Structures are given as C-alpha cells and as structure tokens.
Amino acid sequence: MPEQQNQQQEQEQDGAPETYEYIVVGAGTAGCVLARRLSEDRTHRVLLLEAGRPVPAEPDPVPAPAAWPSLLGTAADWGDTTVPQNTGGAPIPWPRGRGLGGSSAIGGMTFLRGHRSGCDAWPEGGAKGWGYDDLLPYFKRSENVTGVRRRDPASRGTDGPLRVAPAARRHRHPLAQAFLAAAVQAGHPRACDLAAGLETGFGWADLAIADGARQDAAGAYLRPVLGERTNMRVITDAFVQRLLLDETGTSPRCTGVAYTVADGTPPEDTPAEDTSAEDSPQHAAPSRTARCSPGGEVVLTAGAVGSPRLLMSSGLGPREHLEDIGITAHLDLPGVGGNLQDHVVSGVVYRSARPVPESENNHAEVQGLIRSDPHATTCTAPDLQLGIADLPVRAGGLPGPGPGAGYTIVVALLSPYSRGTVRLADADPATPPSIDPCYYADHHDLDLMTAGLRAAREIGMAPALTLWRGEEELPGRDIADDEELRAYLRRNLHSAHDYAGTCAIGTDTDAGAVVDTELRVRGVEGLRVADASVMPTIVSANAEATVYAIAERASDLLTH
Ligand SMILES: Cc1cc2nc3c(=O)[nH]c(=O)nc-3n(C[C@H](O)[C@H](O)[C@H](O)COP(=O)(O)OP(=O)(O)OC[C@H]3O[C@@H](n4cnc5c(N)ncnc54)[C@H](O)[C@@H]3O)c2cc1C
C-alpha cells in the first residue's frame, strides 16, 4: 500500500497535469465511501487526497479494538483542543482522525444509526429528502449484518462493505450483561435491534468489529478496490490548503484544489490559469494543484472541522470573520463553521466491588436511548444516551479508581441546544483552527444532563449490579441537589466526538444553510460537501453510521 502511494505521488509530480471528474478532499469515513462509489464507473477519473498517512498507526500494528484509546494523540489524530470552555476554563481534547479511514480508523466503533427522530427533524427544518426513510436505502447499502440474529432485512443491510454486529456472546463483558439487566429492572424497555434507529430502550449495540478486528472506512471501502481501480488515484500526506476558484462567470466555479505533500519533495508552482483567487496571504505558499475536467466537481469530505476550515481558507465563509483575519471573502456564506454541535458526555463513576475484566471489544457494548422526561407526551424522541463503560471515565485531575477497579454509567446529551463554531485562528491554512463547541452555553443542556445523571444512578442502584457496585466515586453520594450536579457536570465533561453541523443542508431562504439539498455549496459551481458537517442537527446516537449513509447518498447525487 505505501509503495503504491509513493508511485502515485511520483506520477503526480512527474507526469503531465491530469484532470479529474471528481476530486475528493479527505479520505475519512465519507471520503472512502465517495472514492469507491464514484470510481465504479471506470470512465471517471477520481482523485482522493488525504492529509494523513496510509495506515493510522504505521509503522506500528493497528491495535486491537479495546486499545482504541491508545490511538488518540498519535499521528493518526489531528490532536485539536477546544478553546477554554465555560466549564472550569480548561480546553477539552477534540481528537479527530488523520489518515486513511479518518475518524472511523481511531473511533470507538459503536455503530448505531441514531433514532429515526433525529433524521426526521431534518426535512422539517428545510433539508427536504433527508428524512430517515429517505436515508434508509443508504444506511442499508453501507452495512452487512448477515448472520446476526434478530436483524430485519427490511431495515438492515446484508451486502454492504461494512460488517457490523453486537459483541459475540462468548466475548461479552460481564459488566455489560449486568448493566443491561439493571436497566430493565429500572423500568426501561429492552431493545431488540437498537442500531436500526427504530427503537428506544437498552440493548446490545452493533459494533464496527468483525472477527475481532476494527472495521473502518478504508478497510471496508477503499483497500478492497485499490489494486483494481486504475481510474482512482489516492495521495496521502497531501494537505489541501485551498480551493481553486474561477471567478470569471456570474458565480464562482471551483476548478480544483491546491495542496502540499509532506514527503520532502519540492512542490510545483501554481499554474497561471489558476491564480484568480490568489490574493490573500495563505495563497502565497507554493503548492501542487489538481484540477477538475470540464463539468467535474470537488467534493469536500474533510469532516465537520476540516470542511468549513477549507472553505474559509479559500475565502468562502462569513465575510466579517474572513476580513478580520485578512482573507478576501469571495463569497459571503455566513453559515460556514457555525451551527457546530456535539454530544457532550459525563457519567456516574463507581468503584467496583470486584476486579473488572479487560474488554474484548470497545468498552461500550450496551447502550440505551431514553427520554429525559419519561412522561412527556408531546415529544417522545430520545434525548439522552446512557451506556456502560468498563472503565472509569473522568476528566483529568478528578480522583477515582484506576482501570480494572472501576466502571462508569456514561451519559451523553443527544439533542443539544447549544451551538458552537469552527473559526480560523489566522490566514495561514496550516494553523490549527479555533474550535468552540460552547458546551452548556444553553442551560437546557445542563438540565437534560442532570436528568441523565439521575437516570444513570437509578440503573446503577438496581439489583443486577449489586455484585459489582462499590462506592459511587463521582459525582459521589453526597452530591444530590441540582446545583451540585450541574457543577459536577461542568467539572467532568468530555466530548463524544460526534462533531456535526458546520456546513448544514438548508434552503435558499435559510441564511445559515451552506449546502442545498443536493449538497452543492450555495453560490459556487462545481463544489459539494458530503460529510458530518452537512447534518443540520446532530443525530440521536453516535454519528458514524449516519455519515456512511450521507456519503452513500452523495455518491448517487453526484452520478445520477
Ligand atoms: C476518538 C473518536 C471516537 C469516535 N467514536 C465513535 C463511535 O464509537 N461511534 C460512532 O458512530 N462515531 C464515533 N466517532 C465519530 C465518527 O468517527 C465521525 O462522526 C465520522 O467518522 C466523521 O466522518 P467524516 O467523514 O465527516 O470525517 P472524518 O472521518 O474525520 O474524515 C475527515 C478526513 O479528512 C482529512 N482532512 C481534513 N482536512 C484535510 C485537508 N485540508 N486536506 C486533506 N485531508 C484533510 C482528515 O485527515 C480525515 O481523514 C468518533 C470520533 C472520534 C474522533
């Protein structure tokens, strides 16, 4: 694989400039899907550019699923942090994948579609054609649940590239089994197939693990076809700095991209015909270019941070912000980088009364989707996700048991009210972006999470967990009233890493919309976004399964 990459890089450098029907930026979850699907028609030349390396942990072996946290902070992670949050002041780590497979190659492998109510809210907000039923064929097309019990082929895929299944019975964690029983004892329904997005309650989550190995987008979608698709070129270590824009027409047209390659070879100069947008400081850096053939398109799949970052570096974004940092705005797109959403996470940490065995899976085998107010009649969509972690999950600096001595009932907020931003720190495209998720900026989020802690405690005290339950270490039994619980939530805060919303789908009348319902960037020709950033609102569970479906759908929109 690395050999093939190098060969491709040499061809790019030495050969005559080539053009492509599709240039896909970012080989993460969505980018691998797009590259594979778009290159199925062998007459289409497809270029996939990825800033990271071919194999996430190369030269080390890719770790077993349970060791996934060890990937964070490595070369496979951009290693971002947020700006200080209103939660005690500390920045929060914001890992995101960098390498073939992107975040699917370093993530936690929980594979849930999110409850259908999450997607069904999209058309109501203007994203016509993006409801759960519209996405269902694409959810199915991405996955393969062949052989898994209690999976209905009407709602689940049986021949997609990605093999997913719950933890195999003989490898299930005993604590997860006890937790599931405890949730039912606490009065929650038992879900049969939580991953389908049609049920609430608690059940075994599907995991992107097959035969004991991680299933990521590169392994499932890209590697199986790399050798046979001569019309697809993949270049790694290729950081796309900006989009090439032709502004001679009535609206700007994206004609290609400029990128640098971190392989030590000298870059080419940008050809004269592509200089129309080169009046801002970051454009002075020499770089390679890749251009679209007539009618070709650039597709951004750089993720909810990378895609808005690249748009803004190219002068497509909120005019005021761009001008503040010295970038000429080629188009005022106020929504770019706004509307940032994430699932905020906290939980109740227990010291275990017995040693906690090591996980053979992803540390999070059982999940639950619940409603904070079980008596609500107007809205029954789940707004909290509760799950078991066979590890103590706590922010650095907080006391508590070490691995093997504790466990956590994790609480995640599914439908946050708070909205954040991704902004450029300066005009240099290589400067890490400024990420402000604005956790708990809206007080409703703290109220919902407080209800979540109470629900977690109820399950934690159920008889099925008696043999495991030691002291409640965090927040601690004495922390009982709402004010104290809110203070704890601010102290013990994590990201679920489901970043979304920064290039949202919407209508022309929606000033915050960045792409239309066919994922075309508004006001620009030849440019689409097709990753987690297009979600108008974050989905009601972990995001990856939905990103696969969005990318599958995008490939149809591009080719039909
Ligand atoms: C640590 C972690 C754990 C997670 N756990 C889970 C989980 O258990 N279950 C779940 O459902 N979801 C999980 N997620 C979320 C899920 O992985 C993401 O929602 C999903 O992968 C996003 O897909 P994407 O294609 O939008 O972006 P990504 O997969 O992040 O891909 C973006 C790609 O673009 C590349 N890129 C960015 N900028 C540039 C540029 N300028 N030039 C070239 N390349 C560029 C990046 O290097 C990356 O490879 C997790 C995420 C993380 C980070």
Side-chain angles (χ1 to χ4, degrees):
M1 174 75 179
E3 216 171 281
Q4 184 171 2
Q5 299 289 323
N6 290 338
Q7 212 179 2
Q8 286 170 335
Q9 286 175 4
E10 278 158 27
Q11 284 168 4
E12 174 76 8
Q13 225 181 301
D14 298 332
E18 295 200 51
T19 59
Y20 301 89
E21 273 69 39
Y22 302 109
I23 298 173
V24 180
V25 178
T29 308
C32 290
V33 176
L34 263 305
R36 173 167 168 159
R37 295 301 185 200
L38 296 174
S39 62
E40 274 167 8
D41 179 339
R42 304 303 166 94
T43 65
H44 290 156
R45 286 189 51 78
V46 177
L47 175 65
L48 177 61
L49 294 169
E50 167 55 45
R53 300 168 67 187
V55 178
E58 199 182 47
D60 304 323
V62 176
W68 71 265
S70 70
L71 286 167
L72 308 186
T74 67
D77 172 10
W78 288 82
D80 295 317
T81 53
T82 67
V83 301
Q85 294 296 287
N86 177 25
T87 53
I92 311 289
W94 252 51
R96 56 188 174 105
R98 178 180 179 135
L100 291 189
S103 298
S104 75
I106 66 165
M109 293 159 285
T110 300
F111 193 83
L112 298 176
R113 274 179 203 172
H115 190 259
R116 66 168 299 150
S117 54
C119 294
D120 283 341
W122 296 354
E124 286 164 25
K128 295 269 176 289
W130 286 91
Y132 176 89
D133 290 335
D134 304 305
L135 278 173
L136 183 57
Y138 302 101
F139 279 123
K140 291 175 68 177
R141 197 162 89 179
S142 67
E143 66 182 13
N144 185 343
V145 295
T146 303
V148 182
R149 290 171 65 233
R150 299 189 189 168
R151 296 293 180 265
D152 179 357
S155 58
R156 302 302 307 272
T158 52
D159 56 4
L162 198 73
R163 289 168 63 201
V164 298
R169 276 173 189 276
R170 63 186 181 288
H171 297 300
R172 287 179 176 171
H173 200 287
L175 192 47
Q177 316 219 26
F179 173 73
L180 181 54
V184 173
Q185 285 170 347
H188 297 284
R190 170 82 161 82
C192 172
D193 176 12
L194 201 63
L198 300 168
E199 293 171 87
T200 56
F202 285 73
W204 295 96
D206 279 7
L207 308 177
I209 298 175
D211 303 327
R214 171 191 291 276
Q215 301 287 290
D216 64 32
Y221 275 86
L222 203 59
R223 294 198 174 93
V225 300
L226 257 184
E228 69 191 46
R229 300 264 171 100
T230 50
N231 59 324
M232 177 171 70
R233 171 174 289 181
V234 182
I235 306 180
T236 52
D237 285 319
F239 175 65
V240 177
Q241 294 181 303
R242 66 184 173 90
L243 305 169
L244 304 177
L245 298 174
D246 175 356
E247 294 190 283
T248 53
T250 47
S251 48
R253 165 170 279 281
C254 184
T255 57
V257 301
Y259 64 100
T260 52
V261 175
D263 64 357
T265 54
E268 294 169 7
D269 285 331
T270 304
E273 65 265 29
D274 289 321
T275 56
S276 54
E278 298 190 352
D279 52 356
S280 40
Q282 81 278 21
H283 298 149
S287 58
R288 299 179 180 199
T289 57
R291 262 155 285 137
C292 298
S293 51
E297 296 196 54
V298 171
V299 187
L300 302 188
T301 50
V305 173
S307 289
R309 179 189 185 189
L310 186 50
L311 287 171
M312 290 187 283
S313 290
S314 310
L316 306 172
R319 182 182 299 279
E320 212 174 313
H321 168 58
L322 297 182
E323 287 176 357
D324 278 352
I325 56 168
I327 292 180
T328 304
H330 296 287
L331 190 70
D332 183 20
L333 277 173
V336 173
N339 190 43
L340 175 63
Q341 293 156 67
D342 184 23
H343 294 137
V344 66
V345 172
S346 190
V348 181
V349 180
Y350 294 89
R351 189 169 290 278
S352 180
R354 44 166 62 190
V356 179
E358 283 186 16
S359 171
E360 294 184 62
N361 294 293
N362 69 338
H363 305 289
E365 298 166 20
V366 169
Q367 297 291 330
L369 302 176
I370 68 166
R371 179 82 203 151
S372 54
D373 175 1
H375 308 297
T377 49
T378 49
C379 175
T380 52
D383 51 13
L384 291 167
Q385 182 170 349
L386 268 58
I388 184 76
D390 51 50
L391 294 167
V393 180
R394 59 174 194 272
L398 289 179
Y407 61 93
T408 310
I409 301 183
V410 175
V411 180
L413 179 62
L414 289 181
S415 45
Y417 287 79
S418 304
R419 297 287 183 268
T421 53
V422 172
R423 293 284 176 248
L424 300 180
D426 59 37
D428 181 348
T431 305
S434 168
I435 300 167
D436 186 358
C438 295
Y439 290 126
Y440 297 140
D442 187 307
H443 72 90
H444 288 100
D445 292 347
L446 272 174
D447 296 347
L448 287 165
M449 285 294 280
T450 305
L453 286 180
R454 294 195 189 287
R457 275 177 162 169
E458 249 178 69
I459 297 173
M461 293 307 290
L465 281 165
T466 305
L467 289 178
W468 293 94
R469 190 171 47 246
E471 270 303 297
E472 181 189 304
E473 294 276 345
L474 293 172
R477 272 190 308 169
D478 299 343
I479 306 292
D481 72 30
D482 282 359
E483 208 50 46
E484 290 172 321
L485 287 173
R486 285 194 199 107
Y488 165 73
L489 285 166
R490 288 182 190 281
R491 280 199 307 278
N492 195 13
L493 170 130
H494 314 262
S495 163
H497 318 305
D498 292 324
Y499 328 131
T502 47
C503 298
I505 306 172
T507 58
D508 280 350
T509 54
D510 175 1
V514 175
V515 296
D516 68 15
T517 53
E518 301 210 350
L519 307 182
R520 292 178 291 230
V521 175
R522 292 170 59 207
V524 185
E525 289 174 44
L527 181 62
R528 304 205 203 202
V529 184
D531 56 24
S533 60
V534 304
M535 297 181 193
T537 47
I538 197 167
V539 284
S540 303
N542 315 63
E544 199 167 286
T546 308
V547 176
Y548 280 110
I550 289 170
E552 286 280 11
R553 176 131 200 258
S555 70
D556 272 5
L557 292 171
L558 278 148
T559 52
H560 291 103

